[in-house]
Amino acid sequence: MSNGGGRTFFGHPWGLATLFSTEMWERFSWYGLRAILATFMAASPAHQGLGLSQETAQAVVGVYGALIYLVALPGGWVADRILGARRSVFWGGFVIMLGHISMAIPVTTPFFVWLGLLLIITGTGLLKPNISVMVGRLYPEGDDGRRDSGFSLFYLGINLGAFFAPIVVGWLAAGDRWHLGFGAAAVGMALGLVQYVWGGKSLRGVGERPGLRLTRRERRRFTGIALGAVALVAVALGVWAATGTLTVDRLTVVITVLILIVPIVYFAYILLGSHNLTEDERIRMKAYIWLFVAAAVFWMIYDLAPSKLLFFAADHTDLSLFGLPIQAATTQSFNPLFIMIFVPVFAALWLKLGTRVSTPQKFAFALVMVGLSFVVMALAAALAGTGRVSVWWLVLVYLVQVFGELSLSPVGLSVTTKLAPEAFKGQMLGVWFIATSVGDAVGGQTGRLGRVLSDPAYYLVLAAMAIVAGAALFMFAKKLRVMMAEHHDPAMR
């Protein structure tokens, strides 16, 4: 029973236990940091923080989250062409751990904070897309049922890490002990790495080699381009800094604009080039763009949890549940808790509804839900005024948001693979993550609305955007369904 071939993990290959634990601890480190990052940045130097405005902290957290999703594209390419998935996951986790250690160094200079965030972004790009690939490769071709079940267990690991991290890290970071919280995230990633190396034999060679290794000439070319790009960015930042106009706030705006350009260029490249696309593929791609925009609007609001909603928890709620005191960071655990509770409910619901509910309708429902969650936030903000309201308002907000997420997130990857042109099958999954990247970046910038809007008005403006977008998607759902060629004749099934 000791070898990788004999032991099982809830009826799955034992390698799943290794990847489950690695991902759980990696997510513990990610969500632990995320739960205190915005409040740390906005805390004054007297409270061991960076002293940024809440508006700038929100923009930084938005750009940070956006870059995490954006680097999944090059991270997948590095694994396919240079390192292989297995080594990419190890080195990604190692770099993430170094990033958290950098942030845990108890010095007043912000240098180690920015270095830490840069390392975490780089490491996550290597680890996140490739550990999921390895889960899929544990199963033989045609074993789709067990593979789907294996991924369900894997996602349970993600949400377990996401649930416990804000509670543990938030408690450790209380009383301005921010670096202790960052240190806990580093320990979490270290435990994940130990588990990964310890259970390496159970992976039975999965992800050992790159899918299509670069030739020596291609590697030299890649190294030259990568070093050139890094040098170019360094010089540009150096010149900008020399002008005396470089600020964290302005840098987030520039990065947001660059992130917005990425999908525009990519979709233009797909639709305007030939690539031997059929007319049906072009029509499906045009339908996908609408779903992409809908997803970006959804994530723009949904991913304000670790910034805008975290500040609201800290400044305007009575932080106690069932009479027990909690930290503001603990409110970040509500979301993964609800996901774990409702995933089986929604899985059964979609199975029961079958083809009667189309993908555009699911996306529209998600937008309306996330919009309604911010109507609730507007009410809570109005009632709080300059005082505080019950933290149960945030519980309700996260509950409504999870109904939206479970209507959009699980079907997003599925519809992406269905609508992808043959020439772009492998790349399109990365494009789906760019929607989250765009939403996070733009959401981070919405904090600027606080200069001209009260908090209740801010939440209502974003709520209106989502609800109007959802209503429009409902109106055009039938047309989009035809463009997507999605079950357009249910009677035939």
Side-chain angles (χ1 to χ4, degrees):
M1 290 291 285
S2 62
N3 62 32
R7 298 172 76 185
T8 60
F9 178 65
F10 295 103
H12 293 270
W14 189 252
L16 182 64
T18 298
L19 299 177
F20 173 97
S21 301
T22 305
E23 178 72 347
M24 181 182 72
W25 284 114
E26 186 274 330
R27 290 291 89 183
F28 176 93
S29 71
W30 158 250
Y31 282 102
L33 167 66
R34 204 176 90 134
I36 62 171
L37 183 59
T39 41
F40 160 71
M41 289 185 160
S44 69
H47 289 282
Q48 313 304 315
L50 292 190
L52 301 179
S53 68
Q54 287 193 358
E55 176 189 300
T56 301
Q58 180 177 334
V60 170
V61 171
V63 161
Y64 169 62
L67 289 174
I68 288 284
Y69 285 99
L70 199 62
V71 294
L73 276 171
W77 184 88
V78 167
D80 284 342
R81 304 303 305 275
I82 301 173
L83 291 176
R86 187 164 171 178
R87 280 192 295 166
S88 293
V89 169
F90 173 80
W91 287 112
F94 185 74
V95 172
I96 290 169
M97 183 183 70
L98 292 181
H100 288 299
I101 290 171
S102 178
M103 296 189 70
I105 298 171
V107 292
T108 53
T109 172
F111 171 79
F112 289 105
V113 173
W114 303 123
L115 174 63
L117 292 178
L118 185 61
L119 288 171
I120 293 166
I121 289 166
T122 305
T124 306
L126 280 173
L127 185 147
K128 193 75 179 109
N130 296 309
I131 196 166
S132 297
V133 167
M134 290 177 70
V135 172
R137 289 181 185 168
L138 288 173
Y139 301 89
E141 286 291 327
D143 198 0
D144 292 343
R146 278 216 315 159
R147 184 183 291 108
D148 289 350
S149 174
F151 268 108
S152 296
L153 268 176
F154 182 68
Y155 290 131
L156 174 63
I158 290 174
N159 285 295
L160 280 173
F163 172 71
F164 286 111
I167 299 170
V168 174
V169 173
W171 175 71
L172 288 171
D176 304 333
R177 300 189 303 263
W178 308 107
H179 297 287
L180 195 58
F182 298 145
V187 170
M189 191 64 255
L191 288 171
L193 279 174
V194 169
Q195 173 70 33
Y196 186 65
V197 173
W198 186 269
K201 284 183 181 178
S202 66
L203 297 174
R204 293 174 289 177
V206 167
E208 201 73 64
R209 301 173 187 279
L212 184 62
R213 193 188 294 273
L214 291 179
T215 64
R216 189 171 294 178
R217 183 179 175 186
E218 287 173 330
R219 188 173 291 204
R220 278 200 302 268
R221 187 179 170 209
F222 166 73
T223 304
I225 291 171
L227 290 175
V230 170
L232 188 65
V233 171
V235 168
L237 288 174
V239 170
W240 191 2
T243 65
T245 58
L246 173 59
T247 64
V248 172
D249 201 45
R250 287 173 181 156
L251 182 60
T252 65
V253 174
V254 170
I255 295 173
T256 298
V257 171
L258 292 174
I259 288 170
L260 281 169
I261 291 170
V262 172
I264 294 170
V265 170
Y266 198 84
F267 284 126
Y269 170 70
I270 292 175
L271 290 173
L272 301 180
S274 65
H275 312 299
N276 295 316
L277 263 62
T278 65
E279 190 55 36
D280 280 348
E281 285 179 329
R282 287 185 189 280
I283 292 170
R284 286 200 294 269
M285 207 59 228
K286 287 173 183 174
Y288 182 75
I289 290 172
W290 290 106
L291 297 179
F292 179 95
V293 171
V297 171
F298 176 86
W299 296 117
M300 176 186 75
I301 295 175
Y302 188 87
D303 278 349
L304 289 175
S307 53
K308 190 70 176 177
L309 300 196
L310 182 62
F311 288 134
F312 183 84
D315 300 336
H316 295 296
T317 66
D318 293 316
L319 288 167
S320 67
L321 277 174
F322 304 108
L324 297 172
I326 62 170
Q327 301 299 324
T330 305
T331 60
Q332 300 293 289
S333 291
F334 300 159
N335 172 282
L337 175 64
F338 287 137
I339 287 175
M340 287 188 285
I341 292 170
F342 287 102
V343 157
V345 175
F346 271 74
L349 177 66
W350 298 140
L351 204 61
K352 189 173 179 65
L353 291 172
T355 59
R356 283 174 288 175
V357 179
S358 67
T359 298
Q361 287 172 323
K362 290 175 184 175
F363 272 53
F365 176 76
L367 283 168
V368 171
M369 285 295 101
V370 83
L372 289 177
S373 78
F374 264 36
V375 171
V376 175
M377 275 305 305
L379 283 170
L383 288 170
T386 55
R388 293 178 181 269
V389 292
S390 168
V391 78
W392 287 100
W393 280 96
L394 281 177
V395 174
L396 177 59
V397 168
Y398 286 120
L399 176 64
V400 175
Q401 286 192 352
V402 162
F403 291 162
E405 187 195 358
L406 295 177
S407 305
L408 179 139
S409 192
V411 295
L413 282 171
S414 174
V415 75
T416 298
T417 55
K418 284 177 190 170
L419 300 184
E422 198 59 44
F424 295 92
K425 284 283 184 195
Q427 301 168 44
M428 284 300 291
L429 289 180
V431 173
W432 169 247
F433 290 120
I434 294 175
T436 311
S437 186
V438 168
D440 282 11
V442 174
Q445 297 300 326
T446 61
R448 300 174 192 283
L449 293 172
R451 297 173 185 173
V452 293
L453 296 174
S454 65
D455 266 5
Y458 167 86
Y459 292 120
L460 282 177
V461 165
L462 292 187
M465 286 175 64
I467 292 170
V468 168
L473 209 52
F474 269 125
M475 283 172 60
F476 293 102
K478 193 173 285 186
K479 185 176 181 181
L480 282 173
R481 196 171 191 176
V482 171
M483 291 173 72
M484 293 163 59
E486 183 186 65
H487 319 307
H488 39 229
D489 193 356
M492 296 290 289
R493 295 179 67 80

